[in-house]
Amino acid sequence: MEQLSNGLTMPQLHLGVYLMSGSEATQAVRWALEAGYRGIDSAQMYHNENEVGNAIKSFLASNRNTAGLKREDIHFTSKLASNGSYEAARQSIKSSVTRSGLGYIDLFLLHSPYGGKKARLESWRAVEDAIADGEIKIGGVSNFGIKHLRELIESKPRVVPAVNQIEVHPFNTRREVADFCQANGIVVEAYAPLARALRMKHPRIAELSKKYSCTPAQLMIRWSLQHGYVPLPKSIKRSRIAENADIGGFEIQHEDMQAMDGLDEYLVTGEVG
């Protein structure tokens, strides 16, 4: 589990459901929970909050739930589609809680910094009030740069964002913003941790995958975890969902971590966190 600045925890690995249709998300979430995932990352923009929530509830009530897990054992994330007025953001959060059907949302993020300073700060105030009202457990942001994070921190919010979800992988290491987050107690969630499979055949990735007897995806997820990030690998294939969670059997050596860091080419995959 990842320790957050507010004293709460969240799983170190989440299934991302970006660009999954409702039926794909339903199946992928069930397979992920069966494979040991305890975190699912959705968003208003994904249009699958309802399917994800139903899949979680269905799994918990099924005989596949051999560990006797309860709602509080599963970490569900959603995100505000667009920043705007306080009232619009507050209502939007309530709608997400209703759509998920889970009673509350574990982690709720501002999906982007777009909309200007006033919209960002008003939307964040709505997140703070939703936390106070028990609709959200943890508040965070996504795709925020250092400027946006500083602006929010300097506004002296009642709740400091616990998470910043950004695209991070060996081909886009985002060191400056990641270092700023870690220096300020903000956990980095890494979306597109597999670089959307665009560099799986890179010679260095292939070489190190062979060295550690793992898949390229497992290597990249392990890289993310060893940097202290929370990766959000996405797949709709049952075997890959399970494979991506099976990363506890090896540790990347320091010199190999440095070699992977050196692959940075600021590759932006186009995936939206």
Side-chain angles (χ1 to χ4, degrees):
M1 298 293 281
E2 187 76 24
Q3 186 73 38
L4 301 172
S5 58
N6 60 5
L8 299 177
T9 60
M10 70 178 185
Q12 287 186 302
L13 185 73
H14 298 230
L15 177 75
V17 295
Y18 169 64
L19 282 187
M20 288 189 194
S21 68
S23 59
E24 286 174 335
T26 297
Q27 192 62 75
V29 168
R30 283 183 189 150
W31 285 337
L33 294 172
E34 287 174 18
Y37 288 73
R38 296 296 174 257
I40 310 293
D41 181 81
S42 184
Q44 293 174 352
M45 282 176 59
Y46 302 171
H47 302 293
N48 56 24
E49 292 169 305
N50 181 253
E51 288 83 359
V52 169
N54 284 339
I56 290 171
K57 289 187 293 184
S58 172
F59 169 79
L60 291 176
S62 75
N63 58 11
R64 298 275 188 177
N65 180 15
T66 54
L69 300 171
K70 299 187 171 75
R71 162 66 186 97
E72 54 267 30
D73 298 313
I74 309 300
H75 188 99
F76 173 69
T77 298
S78 193
K79 312 178 192 81
L80 185 71
S82 59
N83 301 321
S85 69
Y86 168 85
E87 291 78 13
R90 193 72 189 81
Q91 188 52 51
S92 193
I93 293 168
K94 289 179 183 291
S95 296
S96 276
V97 174
T98 300
R99 273 193 299 272
S100 74
L102 294 170
Y104 61 89
I105 292 172
D106 296 273
L107 173 63
F108 195 86
L109 311 176
L110 303 188
H111 206 150
S112 81
Y114 302 144
K117 178 177 180 178
K118 184 169 188 272
R120 286 190 289 273
L121 296 182
E122 286 283 291
S123 296
W124 186 251
R125 190 161 62 87
V127 169
E128 291 177 318
D129 283 351
I131 292 172
D133 291 345
E135 295 166 14
I136 297 170
K137 298 285 186 189
I138 305 159
V141 295
S142 181
N143 298 303
F144 270 44
I146 292 174
K147 168 195 159 187
H148 307 115
L149 292 167
R150 268 210 187 101
E151 170 192 277
L152 184 48
I153 293 166
E154 288 171 2
S155 75
K156 302 285 191 237
R158 286 169 287 158
V159 176
V160 174
V163 167
N164 185 22
Q165 187 182 122
I166 54 176
E167 177 169 351
V168 186
H169 45 75
F171 300 93
N172 189 356
T173 59
R174 305 294 297 278
R175 285 310 318 172
E176 282 190 25
V177 67
D179 287 349
F180 180 89
C181 288
Q182 291 181 323
N184 285 275
I186 299 169
V187 169
V188 172
E189 277 195 324
Y191 72 78
L194 310 180
R196 292 186 77 189
L198 295 174
R199 296 289 186 273
M200 292 297 195
K201 295 181 179 176
H202 187 283
R204 183 51 63 90
I205 297 297
E207 171 203 332
L208 291 176
S209 298
K210 187 175 180 183
K211 175 178 178 177
Y212 291 103
S213 303
C214 65
T215 67
Q218 288 170 329
L219 181 78
M220 292 171 78
I221 291 168
R222 187 76 217 168
W223 174 90
S224 195
L225 288 169
Q226 285 184 217
H227 269 301
Y229 308 151
V230 174
L232 314 169
K234 176 206 161 188
S235 181
I236 56 172
K237 295 186 177 176
R238 187 174 197 169
S239 60
R240 286 198 185 145
I241 288 170
E243 206 172 66
N244 290 344
D246 185 20
I247 33 75
F250 70 100
E251 185 165 325
I252 303 169
Q253 294 170 1
H254 177 68
E255 60 270 24
D256 293 332
M257 285 292 289
Q258 288 185 313
M260 291 178 73
D261 291 348
L263 298 175
D264 190 7
E265 57 179 90
Y266 203 75
L267 173 69
V268 177
T269 67
E271 184 168 318
V272 179

